[in-house]
Amino acid sequence: MPSGQSHPASTTTTTNNQHPPSMTTTNNHHHPIFPPPESESETSWVWTQIKAEARRDAESEPALATHLYSTILSHPSLDRSLSFHLANKLSSSTLLSTLLYDLFLLSFSSDPSLVSSAVADLLAVRHRDPACVSFSHCLLNYKGFLACQAQRVAHRLWLQSRLPMALALHSRIADVFAVDIHPAARIGKGVLFDHATGLVVGETAVIGNNVSILHHVTLGGTGKVGGDRHPKIGDGVLIGAGATVLGNVKIGEGAKIGAGSLVLIDVPPRTTAVGNPARLIGGKERPARHEDVPGESMDHTSFISEWSDYII
C-alpha cells in the first residue's frame, strides 16, 4: 500500500476519545503497567492501550494526527498496524510498500507466534526502559523493536528457503535502522534492543527469551570458518553497550556482560563477566552469582562495588 495510506480493509471508526484508564501498579522504573484482565488476551489489551495512547497524542499534538491515524488508528489490529508501519519504514523506490505490507501481513497472519513475540517485546520495552513513555511510542519510534519484528519475518522467509527475499529485507533493515541481524539468527520473546544502533548478530547466533542488549554489541564469529560459529545467549541475559561476544560460545542463563567487554569463552549462568578480555567477577573458581535476572532488572553496575581497586 502507498506510503501514508491505510489498507481499505483496515479502516475503523475512531469516535471513542476516552483516555487510558488510571493505572496504579508500577514497575521498577515507575511506569504505569498492569496486567490485562483475565477476560482479555494480552495482545488485545496491549492493542487497546496503543489505540488509547494514539488518540490522546493526536488530541494533544494535532500535527501528528494524520500520522497516528495512518499508522495506528485506521487499523483494526496490531498485526495490520505493524505491517503497515514496517512496510512504509523499509520501502524504497524499487521495493514498494504495497509489496512489503502484503509480505508482513501474510507472515503475521500465518504465524501467530510473530504477533505474540511482538507483544512480549512491547511489554519488555515498556517495563525495562525508563525512556519509553508509552506502548505507542515504542511501536512507532523504537528502531530496536521495529528491527527485531522485521527480522523475525525475514527469519520466517529464510526457513521457507526464500533466501533472496530474506536477504533483501535484511539489507533494508540494516540500511534503515542501523541494526544488522542475519535472517538465519534465532531470537526469543521479550527481547529489548535498547538504542540498538550498531548491533550486529551473526548467522548462527541464538538469543533467548527476556534478553536485553544495548547498542554497538557484536555477536560475531572469529574468522571465515563456516558452520555453527556464533554465540548462544541464554534466557534473561543482559549485554552492556559496546560488548563483543565472538565464536560459538554460550552465555549462560541470567548472566551479565559488562559494557565494552570482550568475551571469547563460555560464561556460566548468573555470573558477571567484565573487561577485555572478560573475566568473571569473583574469579573463575568461585564466581559471584546474582539472584536477579539482569535482562529484566537492567542492573549494569552493581558489580562495581566488588572491584576493590576501582578508584577515580
Side-chain angles (χ1 to χ4, degrees), residues 85-147:
H85 191 40
L86 286 173
N88 280 284
K89 282 281 190 180
L90 296 174
S91 64
S92 69
S93 59
T94 55
L95 194 60
L96 302 182
S97 61
T98 49
L99 180 152
L100 290 177
Y101 175 82
D102 290 340
L103 178 69
F104 284 123
L105 186 57
L106 178 61
S107 297
F108 288 131
S109 302
S110 303
D111 188 350
S113 71
L114 294 177
V115 178
S116 64
S117 294
V119 171
D121 293 350
L122 283 165
L123 289 166
V125 176
R126 189 77 172 95
H127 275 280
R128 299 176 206 164
D129 186 357
C132 184
V133 299
S134 66
F135 290 111
S136 61
H137 173 48
C138 176
L139 173 66
L140 294 175
N141 304 319
Y142 267 51
K143 66 180 184 178
F145 168 79
L146 294 170

Side-chain angles (χ1 to χ4, degrees), residues 160-184:
Q160 294 173 338
S161 297
R162 298 180 63 184
L163 272 58
M165 180 58 76
L167 291 170
L169 193 54
H170 164 236
S171 177
R172 288 301 299 157
I173 295 167
D175 288 346
V176 173
F177 299 126
V179 176
D180 192 334
I181 309 175
H182 195 280

Side-chain angles (χ1 to χ4, degrees), residues 12 35 70 73 81 90 185 306:
T12 61
S70 296
L73 295 174
S81 172
L90 296 174
E306 302 177 41

Side-chain angles (χ1 to χ4, degrees), residues 7-276:
H7 195 281
S10 68
T11 302
T12 61
T13 59
T14 57
T15 56
N16 182 2
N17 291 320
Q18 293 180 348
H19 287 186
S22 175
M23 303 180 187
T24 57
T25 303
T26 59
N27 66 357
N28 292 335
H29 297 308
H30 307 292
H31 283 325
I33 303 294
F34 60 79
E38 292 183 4
S39 61
E40 192 173 9
S41 73
E42 206 165 53
T43 299
S44 62
W45 180 82
V46 168
W47 177 236
T48 298
Q49 302 306 307
I50 289 172
K51 289 190 294 182
E53 292 163 357
R55 284 192 291 269
R56 176 199 64 202
D57 292 344
E59 291 173 2
S60 63
E61 289 288 351
L64 292 176
T66 298
H67 171 60
L68 292 167
Y69 182 81
S70 296
T71 53
I72 294 175
L73 295 174
S74 66
H75 301 281
S77 61
L78 177 60
D79 59 330
R80 286 184 176 271
S81 172
L82 186 55
S83 296
F84 175 83
H85 191 40
L86 286 173
N88 280 284
K89 282 281 190 180
L90 296 174
S91 64
S92 69
S93 59
T94 55
L95 194 60
L96 302 182
S97 61
T98 49
L99 180 152
L100 290 177
Y101 175 82
D102 290 340
L103 178 69
F104 284 123
L105 186 57
L106 178 61
S107 297
F108 288 131
S109 302
S110 303
D111 188 350
S113 71
L114 294 177
V115 178
S116 64
S117 294
V119 171
D121 293 350
L122 283 165
L123 289 166
V125 176
R126 189 77 172 95
H127 275 280
R128 299 176 206 164
D129 186 357
C132 184
V133 299
S134 66
F135 290 111
S136 61
H137 173 48
C138 176
L139 173 66
L140 294 175
N141 304 319
Y142 267 51
K143 66 180 184 178
F145 168 79
L146 294 170
C148 186
Q149 311 321 309
Q151 190 278 343
R152 288 200 181 102
V153 172
H155 179 67
R156 187 173 186 273
L157 295 170
W158 185 270
L159 295 179
Q160 294 173 338
S161 297
R162 298 180 63 184
L163 272 58
M165 180 58 76
L167 291 170
L169 193 54
H170 164 236
S171 177
R172 288 301 299 157
I173 295 167
D175 288 346
V176 173
F177 299 126
V179 176
D180 192 334
I181 309 175
H182 195 280
R186 290 181 285 158
I187 301 176
K189 292 184 177 183
V191 172
L192 166 60
F193 293 147
D194 198 358
H195 301 289
T197 300
L199 174 64
V200 176
V201 179
E203 179 182 7
T204 60
V206 177
I207 298 173
N209 300 318
N210 304 314
V211 170
S212 293
I213 300 177
L214 274 82
H215 52 287
H216 291 293
V217 165
T218 298
L219 305 180
T222 59
K224 64 178 183 179
V225 177
D228 194 359
R229 61 196 184 279
H230 295 106
K232 310 299 181 282
I233 310 301
D235 294 348
V237 167
L238 171 62
I239 304 180
T244 299
V245 186
L246 299 179
N248 186 14
V249 299
K250 183 176 181 180
I251 308 301
E253 179 180 345
K256 183 190 307 185
I257 310 300
S261 298
L262 172 62
V263 178
L264 301 172
I265 60 176
D266 292 356
V267 175
R270 297 195 174 277
T271 63
T272 299
V274 295
N276 186 351

